[in-house]
Amino acid sequence: MEEKLSLRSHTSGSVLATKIVAMAVVPLLILSVIASFFIAGAIVRNYSVDVVNELRSECITINTFISRKLKSSDYKNSEIKPDLFDSISQQTNMDITLFFGSERSVTTVKNPDGTRAVGTYADEEIASHVLVGGEDYFSEQANVNGNMYFAYYMPLFDADGNIVGMTFAGKSRASVSHSVMLSIMGTLAVSWLLTAVVAVICGTAARKMVRALKMTAEFMGRIASGDTECELDERVISRRDEIGGMGRAAVKLQRSLRDLISNDPLTGLFNRRACNIRLAEMLDGAKADDSCLTVVIGDIDFFKKFNDRYGHACGDLVLRDISDILRRGTQGAGIAARWGGEEFLLAFSLSDDAAMAAMENIMQEIRNFRSEYDGEEISVTMTFGVQHYAGENNTDVIINAADEKLYYGKNHGRNMIVEHIPDTVPSERTGE
């Protein structure tokens, strides 16, 4: 059942992570696609404007140059060498044409056979706009000698200010489209790369969030199963968001439950249930590491008579004070638990000698113990039975052995620590 539950939890976490990533990334992808269309449209528009300006600028340059070359109105017979246009064409990736009237006089435009398209004519509509109307003309779909161009035409004036021809600068649609596509692909590549980076960041954040939720859920599950000593991962507790707050609240709940379930309400020591759990863990550790373990059972001497004389309120005060002594004596070296009534269990993860030294310190402090109650000074003594781990299979064996030594001490004077029972002396039990 636990394996199935664990598998179900893992699957649920994976589904949640996928949903959170989808919630974060899908809108981003949709926005990126929409933005891509706008970006592509903007690039096309901007490129068209740039092409127009570039072609227009080239026409102005050619016109200025040609105007300086013309010394008379005999424009047709002026010697303009095509090599100059060839050089411009190579540098700018444009085709250049100089028209006399509507006839191509000098040009870099080629016929299908590779010869210059000299002697061919411009479209009548273009000629009308430029030669008659005196206007510049731009077309994105100009058919120039059988090829489609982005074309710009500009009227050319002779020295007397008459329109005698026109200049043409054009780029083939194929080359412009290729440049536009490269620009679009480059921009979109950057855009999609940024989208991918954001998606990875969102995905990483979502996975961390889900992992924190899973760790919190597993932590709560372990508490629900009775493990009040488990720890929540620090990565959850240190988060500065609602999940971190949930984790910190879970830790507070754990502490409250541990106090209710694991601690004796009067003394604050471990209760019997929690003691059995911790003692079993300590025994497992001793077996695994071949280390030491000492278990001690202690009982307050004549506590029933003490209660009868002073009352239960005074008895409770003594139990709390003795518990404080036992807690201090085992701190950092083991555990202290209220085993039942006025009986206590101590366990040390120390060497035998070190455990006995700790017990001697505890015993001395109890003997020195004095308390004031209702104007009267009171004190108590305790008897302890000690059993060192010697390969026992379970805690019951160790506890029973310590218990036998406790009752041996009870029957042989009390106020003592019994580590060994003489073989020649049988143990007897007493009610006090």
Side-chain angles (χ1 to χ4, degrees), residues 249-393:
V251 171
K252 290 181 180 179
L253 175 61
Q254 177 200 34
R255 291 171 182 165
S256 298
L257 288 174
R258 183 163 55 207
D259 289 340
L260 290 173
I261 297 173
S262 301
N263 293 0
D264 174 63
L266 175 63
T267 63
L269 300 180
F270 283 123
N271 59 26
R272 189 163 186 154
R273 173 185 174 278
C275 179
N276 278 322
I277 295 173
R278 293 302 302 277
L279 190 57
E281 292 174 351
M282 295 174 72
L283 179 59
D284 289 340
K287 291 177 180 178
D289 302 336
D290 194 24
S291 55
C292 298
L293 172 65
T294 296
V295 175
V296 181
I297 298 289
D299 187 88
I300 299 176
D301 298 328
F302 300 112
F303 192 70
K304 183 178 184 302
K305 293 179 180 179
F306 183 92
N307 265 342
D308 292 341
R309 177 179 177 183
Y310 295 103
H312 289 285
C314 181
D316 290 347
L317 174 63
V318 170
L319 286 173
R320 286 194 293 268
D321 289 340
I322 292 298
S323 296
D324 288 340
I325 294 174
L326 300 179
R327 183 185 296 107
R328 290 194 300 270
T330 56
Q331 190 169 15
I335 62 170
R338 187 181 182 189
W339 197 241
E342 68 274 16
E343 198 170 42
F344 298 87
L345 184 145
L346 313 178
F348 297 92
S349 295
L350 300 172
S351 67
D352 296 353
D353 291 341
M356 291 307 298
M359 282 306 305
E360 291 293 346
N361 291 334
I362 291 173
M363 192 66 165
Q364 188 60 47
E365 191 169 351
I366 292 172
R367 287 169 177 163
N368 294 335
F369 164 74
R370 299 290 184 275
S371 181
E372 291 286 336
Y373 183 79
D374 199 19
E376 186 175 351
E377 185 179 77
I378 57 176
S379 63
V380 296
T381 61
M382 287 188 70
T383 303
F384 295 96
V386 179
Q387 177 63 28
H388 303 296
Y389 166 65
E392 290 86 352
N393 291 327

Side-chain angles (χ1 to χ4, degrees), residues 8-56:
R8 190 178 305 147
S9 175
H10 176 75
T11 304
S12 299
S14 300
V15 171
L16 180 59
T18 302
K19 287 182 178 180
I20 293 177
V21 171
M23 290 172 60
V25 174
V26 170
L28 184 64
L29 291 176
I30 295 174
L31 179 62
S32 180
V33 170
I34 295 174
S36 296
F37 284 106
F38 282 101
I39 291 173
I43 289 175
V44 171
R45 290 190 296 273
N46 291 338
Y47 215 94
S48 296
V49 172
D50 290 342
V51 169
V52 171
N53 292 334
E54 188 179 0
L55 296 177
R56 181 174 180 276

Side-chain angles (χ1 to χ4, degrees), residues 27-102:
L28 184 64
L29 291 176
I30 295 174
L31 179 62
S32 180
V33 170
I34 295 174
S36 296
F37 284 106
F38 282 101
I39 291 173
I43 289 175
V44 171
R45 290 190 296 273
N46 291 338
Y47 215 94
S48 296
V49 172
D50 290 342
V51 169
V52 171
N53 292 334
E54 188 179 0
L55 296 177
R56 181 174 180 276
S57 177
E58 196 59 42
C59 285
I60 291 174
T61 301
I62 294 171
N63 271 11
T64 301
F65 174 78
I66 297 300
S67 297
R68 290 175 182 173
K69 293 284 289 182
L70 295 178
K71 302 298 183 182
S72 67
S73 61
D74 190 7
Y75 164 65
K76 183 176 181 180
N77 295 324
S78 299
E79 294 185 0
I80 306 297
K81 296 181 179 181
D83 293 347
L84 174 63
F85 286 2
D86 290 339
S87 176
I88 296 173
S89 178
Q90 291 174 0
Q91 294 175 12
T92 62
N93 195 32
M94 298 180 188
D95 276 316
I96 309 297
T97 297
L98 187 63
F99 288 88
F100 174 71
S102 62

